[in-house]
Amino acid sequence: MLRAAGVGTGDEVVVPAYGNVEVAEAVVTAGAVPVFADIEPSTYCLDPDAVAAAITPRTAAVVVVHRFGKQADMGLLRGVGQRHGLLVLEQGELAEPREGQARRQAHAAYLNGRLSGVVTPTGGAGHSFQQYVVRVPGNGRPDRDAFARAVRVKGVDCRVPVKTPVHRMPEFWRDVVLPETERAADETLALPVDASMSRRDLQRMVSACNALGGLLQPAF
């Protein structure tokens, strides 16, 4: 898509650092330079203000990645693109059958009402919950990783969605501070909400997670 739009050598493309490295790799493959912008903490998608701040005379495009089933604010992001004459591209997630999506949303609503000791995701009609991502409050990654180990012992198949932001990987290292990106990488944990899960499965997960809530220090 970048090459078809004429993006190439000498151009910069604004991309998120929170997520898959493939987006930055695609920019490099097109001959351009990836420039990393921060995310919104509620959506984990590019923050329009951060994108605007990252734009330089060499910026040619912005690649927006929708994350975990939550849509980025495309109205504001397209507005930034129009004001600066930039191409705004979107990368979505694989669509799921409507029945499976409805079950995921129902599972997420159940968990949102019962989990304690973690920060549950904001919902909304547009959130398909491709992943159910919570934040483990406390002092960052040590608390999140300890929480993950503890609930895995109890049979909860959780995983860290983004272990290292792209701007902290050796091949894409940038001397830039992206506080929301780095905080999300330290605190986020994806809990299972597969459509095949039963209410009993969800209850067991709630019990396993809530039993650890008192072990964590509150976030300030």
Side-chain angles (χ1 to χ4, degrees):
M1 292 175 66
L2 291 167
R3 284 174 168 170
V7 176
T9 304
D11 292 329
E12 294 178 348
V13 180
V14 180
V15 299
Y18 183 78
N20 300 333
V21 70
E22 287 83 357
V23 177
E25 289 175 339
V27 173
V28 172
T29 299
V33 176
V35 174
F36 300 107
D38 212 354
I39 58 171
E40 294 182 316
S42 60
T43 65
Y44 303 106
C45 302
L46 281 175
D47 181 335
D49 291 336
V51 170
I55 292 171
T56 74
R58 296 175 58 191
T59 306
V62 179
V63 178
V64 181
V65 181
H66 302 298
R67 189 69 63 197
F68 307 141
K70 183 81 169 179
Q71 298 291 303
D73 191 333
M74 291 307 303
L76 290 179
L77 288 164
R78 288 195 183 101
V80 172
Q82 289 171 357
R83 287 194 298 274
H84 294 273
L86 305 177
L87 178 70
V88 178
L89 301 175
E90 298 178 65
Q91 184 187 61
E93 296 170 300
L94 293 176
E96 185 179 25
R98 182 167 297 179
E99 180 180 350
Q101 180 176 318
R103 284 187 62 81
R104 282 179 174 270
Q105 290 171 324
H107 292 345
Y110 178 88
L111 294 174
N112 278 357
R114 289 164 177 80
L115 282 173
S116 61
V118 298
V119 180
T120 56
T122 56
H127 200 327
S128 64
F129 290 100
Q130 293 286 344
Q131 294 189 60
Y132 182 83
V133 177
V134 301
R135 287 178 182 257
V136 180
N139 299 314
R141 184 171 296 182
D143 287 323
R144 189 272 315 280
D145 291 350
F147 185 96
R149 286 193 297 270
V151 295
R152 286 186 189 120
V153 168
K154 297 187 177 185
V156 177
D157 185 22
C158 62
R159 70 179 192 84
V160 175
V162 177
K163 294 182 179 180
T164 305
V166 182
H167 73 299
R168 292 294 179 248
M169 295 180 179
E171 62 269 38
F172 289 105
W173 180 271
R174 299 289 190 277
D175 187 17
V176 59
V177 178
L178 305 177
E180 294 299 340
T181 294
E182 291 160 16
R183 188 174 298 115
D186 284 347
E187 295 181 350
T188 51
L189 187 67
L191 299 177
V193 287
D194 300 338
S196 60
M197 293 178 69
S198 67
R199 181 57 56 87
R200 180 171 291 182
D201 293 331
L202 295 174
Q203 290 170 342
R204 287 172 178 165
M205 182 163 62
V206 168
S207 296
C209 292
N210 289 357
L212 298 171
L215 301 178
L216 300 173
Q217 297 297 317
F220 294 101

